[in-house]
Every structure is written in C-alpha cells, then in structure tokens.
Amino acid sequence: MAAAALTREGGEDAFRRLFRFYRQRDVSDLRGVVDFSVPGGQVFRSQLSISSVSDQDAYRAGLQPVSQWKAYGLTGYPGFIFIPNPFLPGCQRHWVKQCLKLYPQKPNVCNLDLHMAPEKTVDLWGQSKEQLRRKGSSKWEPRSLLEKLRWVTLGYHYNWDTKKYSANHHTPFPSDLAFLSEQVAAACGFRGFQAQAGILNYYHFDSSLGIHADESELDHSRPLLSFSFGQSSIFLLGGLKREEAPTAMFMHSGDIMVMSGFSRLLYHAVPRVLPNPEGTALPSCLDQALSSDLPVGSVIEHSSDEDWQVCAKYLQSSRINMTIRQVLAEGQKFPEESGTNGKGQAPSEDNHHQENSRAKRHKPNTD
C-alpha cells in the first residue's frame, strides 16, 4: 500500500512523510488506517478497572456503565487505550455545547485574544449564533467568531511561547469536565486523577494538528485524556523520536483516547479531518436525544433546541477535541521562574498548526 511504502523510504523522517500523505485532499487509500470498530491485526482488547467507577458516577458523567465499554490497545504502544464512544445517548451534546458556549468565555483564554480587544471576545456565542444558524453552504460567506476559534485553554493555561505552565496563570477548571475526566481516568486504572489543564482544539475540514509530543506537564505519570466530537479525523501515533513511522487510526465522534506510561510522551499529530463515515451531515450518535430522566447530581445539562441547532450547524464542517491533563503530582509545586509573564498566549496565529510545529496550533484558513 502507498502509506506502507512511504515508511520504507529514506530521506525525510517517516512521520513527516506519512503526515503529508494523509494531509492530501485527494488521498483515497485509507486501508492502512486502523479502525477500532473492526478490531484485528495489531488491535487487542484492553482491560478496564470496572470496580473503580460506580454505575451512578458513570451516569452522572453521561457515560454508560464501565462494564459496557469496549477498550482496545495497540501492539507496540503500551499504555495506549482507545475507548469507542462510551457516552449515553444525547450526552455528547452537552460537551459540544460547553465547548462552544461556555468554555470559551472569560477568564479562559483563546486564540482570538491575540488580536482582538477583550470586550470583543467576551461573548463569542452571542455574537455568532444567529450568523451560524443562517449560514448556507457557500465557502465565501464570512466566518463567525466561533468559526475563527482555534483553541481555548482551561485551568493552568498553556504558554505557547515557553511551552510551559505556570502558577500565576491559572483559572478555575470546569467542574463538569473535571468530573468526566476523573471517571474516565479511574476506569483506566488511574484513580485520584486531577484535571488541572485543558486544551480545546477546534478543527475544520482544512485543519490539521502538527507533529508534537506533550511534555510540558510536570507529572508524566498521569495520563493524557483526549475526547473527540463531531466530524472524524485521522490520528497518527508515533514513537519517542520523529524518525519512527507512526500508526494511523480513525477517531470518530464520542471516541476517547488515553495515553499513559510509555505512550504518554510519544509524538502524535492529526493530519486530516474527514466527513463522518456514515455519509450524513452529522454522526447518528449526535442525533440522539438526551433522556429527560437524568440522575441526581448529573453534570449533564439539557441543551435547548435553539442552542443545539447552532451547535449542529457548526459541527457539520467541524470537529472539537478536548485534551485534559494533570500538570502537577500530589503536593508538587511549580519551580521558581524569573523573567516570564505567564500570559500563556501564542505569539502569532499566522504560524498556528503548521505541520512541523510542536505546539498545538492550527494552520489558518486560506480565506
């Protein structure tokens, strides 16, 4: 296959060659991409810690009982766990709405803060919802502010210049997202996980995520959790060096990836966003309605029909990814720093998500 042949060529490192191969819009040979809905080959069933999460806590987070989840590993990637959509019907909608309506609000930080006055980014949802609702299919229509959103940081805000977190740039981490993350981590054997930092990435069909490894957290013993919603993507998982050829895999709406142990510091990237394989505007799992009978203490909220119409319109050409991390070990503190302002903002949006960037930045749309 073309992808396999690329890994054997000399010259440019194998990861970059495969990134460019899958980045091409006209690539139709996707036979080398792992599909966890049809496991086999290097895919094997992975065990979960079922007793670590009560059914009640799973329901409160909008998840099926852990005993009903399917989890997979990949040969050669110890510590990597892939969980195909474990969400209860309708519950993905809550996280989509939070990522578009709530989490971009201040005091959280987003890419639009780099070149817009603070008062202009206070209510991205309010400024965009009517424009999104009326939006047609023409690519020449002006983009709303929500469509220009590329990243949002939560908790300890990632500094794109220094590639570090700092004690003096921190805002409260969303309690609902912390609860979800704690349950998923516990199910994967990491009880006591603390969700301290989040990077939300907003992708469109022309977006990609450059080759990088997540090394900035001070505690690498805790996992990296990744949640995907909306359109699908190809995810590349490589090795400890960029010269090592990566494995390509599909990520669909509702899928969760956990990178821990050996896999925690591996290079990875997203070269391409794809329409969902069902061929419909939205994956069927997003068409499901939320039950009216939510458990006591649920962190899931019902979305109004009006709000969901805006979210659904956005997702017809977009994908949202939440990556959640524990930055510090229990009792650990940040080292003393001098000469840093801790602002946690990227230097320029012009460089976002170039293929050879290690930062989590989006390549800007050409329009």
Side-chain angles (χ1 to χ4, degrees):
M1 294 187 293
L6 283 173
T7 66
R8 296 190 292 268
E9 293 182 3
E12 190 176 45
D13 70 70
F15 202 131
R16 185 176 298 163
R17 285 198 300 273
L18 279 176
F19 183 100
R20 291 184 175 177
F21 173 78
Y22 286 117
R23 183 83 179 99
Q24 299 174 78
R25 296 287 135 205
D26 57 350
V27 170
S28 57
D29 184 0
L30 301 179
R31 289 174 293 168
V33 183
V34 173
D35 187 344
F36 289 95
S37 66
V38 284
Q42 69 185 111
V43 177
F44 60 88
R45 285 296 294 266
S46 184
Q47 296 298 312
L48 294 170
S49 181
I50 296 174
S51 62
S52 294
V53 180
S54 69
D55 290 355
Q56 184 70 8
D57 281 344
Y59 290 141
R60 289 177 58 207
L63 299 164
Q64 301 173 31
V66 178
S67 59
Q68 296 180 21
W69 299 8
K70 294 180 180 178
Y72 301 98
L74 281 174
T75 301
Y77 296 96
F80 175 80
I81 303 172
F82 191 100
I83 305 169
N85 184 17
F87 290 92
L88 290 167
C91 289
Q92 288 189 50
R93 292 186 176 192
H94 169 84
W95 303 108
V96 171
K97 184 193 71 173
Q98 298 296 78
C99 286
L100 291 175
K101 185 175 183 178
L102 182 66
Y103 297 158
Q105 294 180 12
K106 297 295 167 265
N108 299 329
V109 181
C110 72
N111 63 292
L112 299 178
D113 297 326
L114 303 178
H115 48 77
M116 296 180 68
E119 61 271 16
K120 298 289 187 181
T121 62
V122 168
D123 185 16
L124 301 181
W125 175 268
Q127 296 182 68
S128 304
K129 60 182 181 180
E130 287 303 323
Q131 187 178 351
L132 266 172
R133 190 181 290 113
R134 297 192 308 267
K135 196 171 182 65
S137 58
S138 172
K139 66 178 182 180
W140 304 114
E141 291 184 59
R143 290 177 298 153
S144 65
L145 287 180
L146 273 180
E147 291 171 293
K148 295 179 181 179
L149 196 61
R150 290 296 174 266
W151 53 262
V152 169
T153 53
L154 311 170
Y156 287 113
H157 296 281
Y158 186 73
N159 187 310
W160 304 91
D161 287 330
T162 64
K163 298 181 174 61
K164 293 181 179 179
Y165 301 94
S166 64
N168 62 351
H169 198 219
H170 174 270
T171 56
F173 194 93
S175 59
D176 58 347
L177 184 52
F179 186 76
L180 169 69
S181 303
E182 289 160 10
Q183 307 319 306
V184 172
C188 294
F190 296 94
R191 300 186 74 166
F193 176 84
Q194 299 177 49
Q196 296 174 337
I199 298 179
L200 315 181
N201 279 320
Y202 301 80
Y203 299 84
H204 306 296
F205 283 133
D206 60 351
S207 301
S208 62
L209 175 68
I211 304 168
H212 69 282
D214 291 293
E215 304 170 330
S216 301
E217 295 73 31
L218 275 65
D219 181 14
H220 294 156
S221 70
R222 310 304 274 172
L224 176 76
L225 311 180
S226 174
F227 302 85
S228 288
F229 304 106
Q231 301 300 323
S232 300
S233 71
I234 294 175
F235 180 81
L236 299 179
L237 181 61
L240 293 171
K241 298 180 180 180
R242 287 174 60 117
E243 290 75 18
E244 299 178 50
T247 295
M249 62 196 80
F250 289 114
M251 286 196 74
H252 304 304
S253 191
D255 290 349
I256 301 174
M257 287 194 317
V258 179
M259 296 170 67
S260 66
F262 171 81
S263 295
R264 174 65 178 77
L265 297 175
L266 298 183
Y267 280 98
H268 52 280
V270 177
R272 188 172 171 192
V273 176
L274 301 164
N276 91 83
E278 298 169 284
T280 51
L282 289 181
S284 57
C285 59
L286 290 170
D287 288 333
Q288 298 170 311
L290 182 64
S291 169
S292 59
D293 186 23
L294 293 174
V296 175
S298 175
V299 301
I300 302 298
E301 300 173 346
H302 283 93
S303 298
S304 68
D305 289 341
E306 179 183 11
D307 281 357
W308 180 244
Q309 287 175 12
V310 177
C311 294
K313 193 73 171 182
Y314 177 90
L315 288 183
Q316 287 181 8
S317 60
S318 305
R319 167 182 178 256
I320 298 172
N321 179 256
M322 311 187 301
T323 56
I324 313 303
R325 311 107 191 284
Q326 178 169 335
V327 177
L328 301 167
E330 188 73 33
Q332 188 177 22
K333 295 182 178 180
F334 288 100
E336 292 293 330
E337 296 183 20
S338 60
T340 59
N341 58 17
K343 292 299 182 183
Q345 296 181 352
S348 167
E349 193 175 359
D350 293 338
N351 297 321
H352 284 183
H353 265 14
Q354 295 295 338
E355 176 270 322
N356 61 355
S357 171
R358 294 188 185 182
K360 308 157 193 71
R361 302 170 183 173
H362 278 285
K363 185 176 180 180
N365 292 332
T366 54
D367 60 347

